[in-house]
């Protein structure tokens, strides 16, 4: 694929930002307020029930205007529309990235239809489990769910399930297993009763070795207690290969789809998010999807100068390339959000951390910082969002969420 448009670093705005950064590095955040350029309400934006306060960043009107010009000259608005429309933006695999269709009506009609069918099946499963109608091999209702997955099939749903702890149903306990080390699943199973435990096994291709190894352990554990009884109702699969799931022994009606246009790092919005719905309710899962759709709509329709995802992306470009900030710290203020940095490591670094362009040429600039977070939970603090200069050997962007 060829591109007649100049590369980002070849545009005059790129050089202008280098010059602006030289001056900006000599200023403190307080300087922007003391000169009257900024108030506490400046650079504060709201969308989808969220508030992004960008007032404590090292930017002024000229810097922001230059960043926005850079975005426009690199055709960002048309790229956003292509994403929402379902154009094939994944050039290496020649496919669309249609995760926005999971969160609400967008993209091709056929995608919207299969998503709605899948949601109806998720709702049916959740209702059956929560009402006690989903029975195990001995006729007892399910009281425990263990999700077996890895990567996107684990990080996203585990993060969201923990974040929604205040909304958990009292009738069910949900656990997550991803480590290929058998100690992980063995320690989890030691706390559970095989007669009342359901396993959700998530593997897009049903070839993920770590996931299948843990699924084998779960199957052997069930068979040891069930003897010759039918254990098929103790498994639900999420996969794009239902044929392989059935060969494994999972009933067709217990298989949920995932499609090649859903990247693993975005999959919590798909049937991979079934544990979220089981831990809370189908209604809460729907509210989660609706919140994602509201932000999608904001991203797709808002002017760039008011567009929260765009502005935050431009700030990252500003700091990573013009301030030499190689690390982004995500510090959640709520204990229930403690897995968010881990999820964002995959979500951001896997999406943006490329070193080549769409044409396969090596990029002469940085595309993504290293994402990390605290090992211990943060104390409750106001929701703030700012950049701080660390020692030259360890430049740092810091976001408190």
């Amino acid at each position: 694929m060829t591109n007649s448009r100049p590369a980002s670093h070849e545009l005059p705005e790129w050089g202008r930002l280098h010059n602006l950064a030289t001056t900006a590095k000599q200023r403190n955040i307080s300087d922007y307020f003391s000169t009257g350029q900024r108030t506490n309400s400046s650079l504060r934006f709201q969308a989808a029930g969220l508030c992004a306060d960008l007032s404590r960043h090292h930017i002024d009107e000229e810097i922001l205007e230059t960043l926005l010009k850079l975005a426009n000259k690199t055709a960002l608005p048309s790229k956003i529309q292509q994403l929402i429309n379902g154009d094939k933006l994944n050039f290496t695999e020649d496919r669309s990235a249609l995760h926005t269709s999971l969160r609400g009506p967008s993209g091709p009609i056929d995608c919207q239809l299969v998503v709605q069918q899948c949601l109806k099946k998720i709702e049916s499963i959740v209702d059956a489990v929560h009402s006690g109608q989903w029975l195990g091999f001995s006729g007892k209702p399910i009281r425990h769910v263990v999700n077996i997955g890895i990567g996107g099939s684990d990080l996203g749903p585990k993060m969201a399930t923990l974040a929604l702890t205040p909304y958990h149903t009292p009738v069910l306990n949900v656990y997550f297993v991803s480590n290929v080390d058998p100690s992980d699943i063995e320690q989890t199973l030691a706390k559970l009763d095989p007669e009342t435990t359901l396993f959700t096994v998530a593997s897009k291709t049903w070839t993920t070795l770590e996931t299948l190894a843990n699924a084998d352990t779960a199957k052997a554990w069930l068979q040891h207690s069930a003897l010759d009884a039918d254990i098929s109702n103790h498994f639900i699969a999420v996969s794009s290969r239902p044929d392989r799931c059935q060969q494994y022994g999972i009933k067709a009606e217990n298989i949920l789809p995932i499609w090649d246009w859903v990247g693993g790092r975005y999959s919590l919005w798909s049937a991979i998010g079934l544990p979220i719905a089981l831990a809370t309710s189908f209604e809460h899962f729907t509210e989660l999807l609706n919140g994602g759709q509201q932000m999608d709509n904001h991203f797709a329709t808002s002017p760039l100068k008011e567009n929260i995802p765009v502005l935050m992306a431009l700030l990252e470009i500003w700091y990573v390339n013009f301030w030499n900030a190689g690390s982004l710290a995500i510090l959640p203020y709520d204990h229930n959000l403690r897995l968010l940095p881990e999820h964002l490591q995959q979500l951001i670094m896997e999406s943006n951390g490329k070193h080549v362009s769409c044409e396969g040429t090596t990029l002469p600039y940085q595309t993504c910082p290293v994402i990390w977070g605290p090992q211990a939970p943060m104390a409750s603090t106001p929701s703030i969002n700012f950049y701080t200069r660390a020692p030259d050997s360890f430049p740092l962007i810091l976001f408190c969420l």
Side-chain angles (χ1 to χ4, degrees):
M1 177 179 177
T2 60
N3 188 353
S4 58
R5 194 178 293 113
S8 299
H9 68 286
E10 297 172 336
L11 293 169
E13 285 76 15
W14 194 269
R16 179 64 181 152
L17 287 168
H18 272 295
N19 294 333
L20 291 170
T22 300
T23 303
K25 290 175 184 177
Q26 309 306 314
R27 306 178 70 181
N28 295 316
I29 291 292
S30 59
D31 295 337
Y32 294 97
F33 291 88
S34 61
T35 58
Q37 296 182 50
R38 188 174 304 169
T39 66
N40 286 330
S41 60
S42 300
L43 296 175
R44 183 174 293 175
F45 307 90
Q46 295 193 31
L50 300 176
C51 176
D53 184 355
L54 309 182
S55 64
R56 269 63 178 177
H57 280 279
H58 288 271
I59 55 172
D60 57 22
E61 186 174 335
E62 185 179 8
I63 294 168
L64 183 57
E65 182 181 350
T66 308
L67 286 167
L68 290 169
K69 285 181 178 179
L70 181 67
N72 277 300
K73 285 195 175 182
T74 54
L76 179 61
S78 64
K79 292 295 184 183
I80 292 173
Q81 200 55 54
Q82 289 172 30
L83 172 69
I84 300 297
N85 291 343
D87 293 358
K88 292 184 178 180
L89 295 183
N90 185 337
F91 302 113
T92 55
E93 298 178 350
D94 191 32
R95 62 178 57 160
S96 304
L98 278 169
H99 46 275
T100 53
S101 293
L102 300 171
R103 301 189 281 248
S106 69
I109 294 296
D110 56 340
C111 291
Q112 297 180 36
L113 291 175
V114 294
V115 167
Q116 288 304 310
Q117 292 169 1
C118 182
L119 284 172
K120 289 180 180 178
K121 195 166 184 178
I122 292 174
E123 182 178 19
S124 176
I125 291 171
V126 173
D127 287 347
V129 173
H130 284 187
S131 65
Q133 297 177 48
W134 191 292
L135 305 178
F137 64 81
S138 66
K140 294 181 179 180
I142 296 299
R143 290 292 176 260
H144 309 283
V145 174
V146 179
N147 184 75
I148 298 175
I150 198 169
S153 299
D154 171 74
L155 292 171
K158 181 167 61 177
M159 178 277 297
T161 298
L162 180 62
L164 295 173
T165 295
Y167 305 97
H168 282 191
T169 175
V171 302
L172 205 63
N173 295 309
V174 177
Y175 306 85
F176 291 84
V177 169
S178 62
N179 199 329
V180 70
D181 182 345
S183 296
D184 187 14
I185 190 168
E186 288 171 0
Q187 291 175 17
T188 300
L189 298 181
K191 301 178 286 187
L192 308 180
D193 179 356
E195 296 180 62
T196 59
T197 300
L198 171 69
F199 294 91
T200 56
V201 185
S203 175
K204 193 169 185 179
T205 61
W206 208 255
T207 57
T208 313
L209 295 179
E210 297 91 341
T211 298
L212 294 181
N214 282 324
D216 288 343
T217 300
K219 182 186 283 189
W221 179 73
L222 286 167
Q223 288 173 332
H224 179 75
S225 296
L227 300 177
D228 295 329
D230 181 12
I231 62 170
S232 61
N233 223 31
H234 288 262
F235 285 94
I236 294 174
V238 182
S239 178
S240 65
R241 294 298 304 267
D243 54 331
R244 292 175 178 171
C245 299
Q246 288 182 264
Q247 291 172 7
Y248 191 81
I250 297 177
K251 296 189 295 186
E253 58 266 34
N254 289 0
I255 301 172
L256 291 167
I258 189 169
W259 308 276
D260 62 3
W261 38 265
V262 178
R265 53 198 179 277
Y266 307 114
S267 59
L268 75 88
W269 309 95
S270 70
I272 297 290
L274 175 62
I276 306 170
L278 286 169
T280 58
S281 69
F282 181 75
E283 289 72 25
H284 283 113
F285 184 64
T286 301
E287 289 181 23
L288 177 67
L289 298 179
N290 290 341
Q293 183 191 15
Q294 290 177 36
M295 184 56 75
D296 288 339
N297 291 339
H298 167 77
F299 176 57
T301 61
S302 296
L304 298 190
K305 64 181 180 180
E306 301 170 6
N307 195 310
I308 293 175
V310 169
L311 291 172
M312 294 188 72
L314 291 175
L315 284 173
E316 188 170 284
I317 291 170
W318 168 241
Y319 290 128
V320 170
N321 285 285
F322 304 102
W323 286 68
N324 193 33
S327 293
L328 172 61
I330 309 291
L331 308 179
Y333 65 87
D334 190 297
H335 184 63
N336 291 329
L337 291 173
R338 62 187 179 275
L339 294 184
L340 182 61
E342 184 180 350
H343 172 54
L344 292 180
Q345 284 174 344
Q346 184 194 42
L347 184 67
I348 297 176
M349 294 171 68
E350 188 173 319
S351 294
N352 297 336
K354 314 298 183 185
H355 70 279
V356 296
S357 69
C358 296
E359 292 75 40
T361 59
T362 300
L363 294 171
Y365 53 86
Q366 298 299 315
T367 60
C368 183
V370 175
I371 310 296
W372 55 279
Q375 293 299 311
M378 297 290 293
S380 244
T381 61
S383 180
I384 56 176
N385 177 334
F386 60 91
Y387 169 81
T388 181
R389 297 259 353 236
D392 290 339
S393 60
F394 193 53
L396 167 71
I397 308 170
L398 179 64
F399 289 92
C400 296
L401 303 174

